[in-house]
């Protein structure tokens, strides 16, 4: 993007309730949209509460969140102010999303719709919503009142997507872990994983003070490391399920017998190749379901045959599932099996 500048204003520290809502919003962007696979970065409290960004910062999904469970139309309007500021900025955001804990019964036409645009909001509620937005524009010094014209606001509201949170924290984590229900972690573990993602997200606010910073291109926002990536979150979740970071230094103990057969001068390189293949398999968005099916198959065989070695487990794997993740080869798949076996400690 050229000939633009963006001044960071009104970054803020989160209360716990808001942190929960923002983590749900992050996982909504990551897993529950048709274009979720396009989103690579999740930028925390820079442009807004949360901003999704594609791998090269060409597309930005701008998201404001509010945790209250019964927001009035006027309150919803007030919450739109940062999205509106960004709409009026030099940046062309791909999507504007308001993520809400809940709304009052007077707002929606069809109360069954939890994802909707302005066409599902009652006429009377729209009037109050616009009033709330205008009042907040006046209250916020970073928005010029002359910009907040009726035409500008009307055009903006046509572009906003409203999302009502109707899921538990564990549901958002389940959407990352695409494995058989029989080996899905229990509710307590899922909630613990959600809380750890929330804490990682909240910690990004402490990376650097960005209030008052001006950037000239959207990619410069990444220089301040107030972001998580989809791959980082997937890796973290996998590590929690198998109780081990699959990329820890050294060799998994169940893999040592195979590793020791490698020529000595090849060992370090071969082990690194195995880890790289696992990274590719985990982060390959075209094979997400296949990866978790493979993981589920490996997990089940290990649990049912705890004394089997890696070579035996490899032979017991269904060939179709085994070959469904093209990033793996024989050695790297055996490394993955060994990593899972060491982590679950059966």
């Amino acid at each position: 993007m050229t000939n633009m500048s963006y001044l960071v204003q009104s970054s803020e520290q989160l209360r716990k309730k808001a942190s929960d809502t923002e983590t749900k919003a992050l996982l909504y962007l990551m897993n529950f949209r048709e274009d979720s696979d396009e989103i690579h970065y999740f930028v925390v409290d820079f442009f807004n509460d949360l901003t999704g960004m594609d791998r090269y910062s060409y597309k930005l999904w701008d998201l404001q969140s509010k945790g209250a469970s019964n927001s009035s139309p006027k309150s919803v309007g007030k919450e739109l102010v940062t999205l509106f500021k960004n709409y009026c900025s030099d940046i062309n955001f791909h999507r504007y999303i308001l993520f809400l804990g809940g709304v009052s019964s007077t707002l929606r036409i069809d109360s069954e719709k939890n994802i909707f645009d302005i066409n599902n909001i009652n006429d009377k509620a729209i009037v109050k919503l616009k009033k709330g937005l205008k009042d907040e524009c006046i209250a916020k010094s970073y928005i010029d009142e002359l910009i907040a014209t009726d035409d500008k606001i009307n055009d903006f509201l046509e572009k906003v997507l409203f999302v009502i949170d109707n899921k538990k924290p564990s549901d958002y984590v389940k959407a990352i872990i695409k494995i058989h229900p029989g080996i899905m972690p229990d509710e307590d573990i899922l909630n613990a994983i959600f809380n750890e993602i929330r804490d990682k997200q909240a910690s990004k606010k402490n990376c650097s003070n960005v209030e008052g910073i001006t950037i000239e291109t959207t990619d410069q926002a990444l220089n301040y490391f107030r972001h998580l990536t989809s791959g980082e979150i997937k890796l973290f979740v996998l590590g929690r399920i198998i109780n081990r970071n699959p990329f820890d230094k050294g060799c998994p103990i169940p893999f040592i017998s195979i590793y020791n057969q490698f020529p000595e001068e090849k060992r370090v390189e071969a082990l690194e190749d195995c880890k790289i293949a696992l990274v590719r398999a985990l982060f390959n968005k075209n094979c997400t379901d296949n990866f978790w099916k493979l993981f589920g198959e490996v997990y089940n065989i290990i649990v049912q045959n705890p004394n089997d070695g890696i070579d035996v487990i490899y032979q017991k794997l269904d060939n179709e599932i085994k070959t469904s993740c093209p990033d793996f080869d024989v050695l790297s798949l055996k490394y993955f099996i060994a990593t899972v076996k060491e982590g679950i400690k059966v």
Side-chain angles (χ1 to χ4, degrees), residues 127-139:
V127 172
K128 294 176 181 177
L129 185 150
K130 288 180 180 178
K131 177 71 164 58
L133 175 54
K134 287 183 177 181
D135 287 351
E136 199 68 4
C137 285
I138 293 169

Side-chain angles (χ1 to χ4, degrees), residues 60-308:
L60 277 73
W61 290 254
D62 198 36
L63 190 148
Q64 175 73 24
S65 66
K66 180 177 175 62
S69 59
N70 193 35
S71 297
S72 68
K74 186 174 181 180
S75 177
V76 170
K78 288 183 176 181
E79 288 301 319
L80 286 167
V81 69
T82 310
L83 289 169
F84 182 63
K85 174 180 81 80
N86 288 341
Y87 169 76
C88 296
S89 74
D90 291 339
I91 300 176
N92 181 23
F93 289 88
H94 178 61
R95 291 284 183 267
Y96 301 94
I97 303 166
L98 184 60
F99 190 89
L100 297 158
V103 293
S104 67
S105 59
T106 59
L107 187 129
R108 284 176 284 184
I109 295 171
D110 182 352
S111 60
E112 297 298 312
K113 287 185 177 180
N114 291 313
I115 299 176
F116 55 92
D117 59 19
I118 195 71
N119 295 313
N120 193 44
I121 298 181
N122 287 303
D123 290 342
K124 289 183 179 179
I126 290 175
V127 172
K128 294 176 181 177
L129 185 150
K130 288 180 180 178
K131 177 71 164 58
L133 175 54
K134 287 183 177 181
D135 287 351
E136 199 68 4
C137 285
I138 293 169
K140 299 291 187 184
S141 59
Y142 54 67
I143 295 185
D144 188 335
E145 292 177 42
L146 298 176
I147 294 177
T149 63
D150 288 341
D151 286 346
K152 194 86 170 177
I153 288 174
N154 289 339
D155 189 59
F156 162 68
L157 290 176
E158 291 290 334
K159 294 176 168 59
V160 176
L161 184 71
F162 299 85
V163 179
I164 309 295
D165 168 35
N166 63 340
K167 298 177 179 66
K168 299 180 296 183
S170 58
D171 293 328
Y172 286 96
V173 178
K174 284 179 183 177
I176 306 172
I177 310 169
K178 303 178 188 297
I179 55 179
H180 189 278
I183 60 172
M184 181 68 72
D186 64 29
E187 191 86 359
D188 288 344
I189 293 174
L190 292 171
N191 286 333
I193 292 172
F194 178 91
N195 291 342
E196 289 190 69
I197 296 172
R198 180 200 66 207
D199 294 344
K200 282 180 176 289
Q201 184 177 359
S203 73
K204 291 298 176 180
K205 292 175 175 291
N206 301 322
C207 287
S208 54
N209 180 16
V210 296
E211 184 73 15
I213 285 171
T214 298
I215 58 172
E216 302 300 328
T217 57
T218 53
D219 57 277
Q220 290 177 358
L222 301 174
N223 297 349
Y224 299 93
F225 273 80
R226 295 170 74 97
H227 62 266
L228 297 164
T229 68
S230 57
E232 186 181 347
I233 295 167
K234 288 178 183 176
L235 174 58
F236 167 76
V237 172
L238 176 64
R240 285 296 175 269
I241 296 172
I242 65 173
N243 302 308
R244 184 186 191 279
N245 182 339
F247 308 115
D248 277 345
K249 289 183 178 180
C251 180
I253 292 172
F255 194 68
I256 287 177
S257 61
I258 296 172
Y259 176 79
N260 285 340
Q261 294 176 53
F262 299 162
E264 193 167 344
E265 68 276 11
K266 292 285 187 182
R267 288 176 183 172
V268 173
E269 181 184 349
L271 191 63
E272 192 63 27
D273 286 345
C274 289
K275 293 182 179 182
I276 290 170
L278 175 51
V279 169
R280 288 176 178 161
L282 178 60
F283 297 169
N284 187 339
K285 293 180 178 179
N286 295 321
C287 294
T288 298
D289 288 344
N290 290 341
F291 176 85
W292 288 109
K293 283 179 184 176
L294 175 62
F295 170 78
E297 178 94 350
V298 168
Y299 188 102
N300 278 325
I301 291 173
I302 291 171
V303 169
Q304 293 166 14
N305 306 276
N307 297 320
D308 283 355

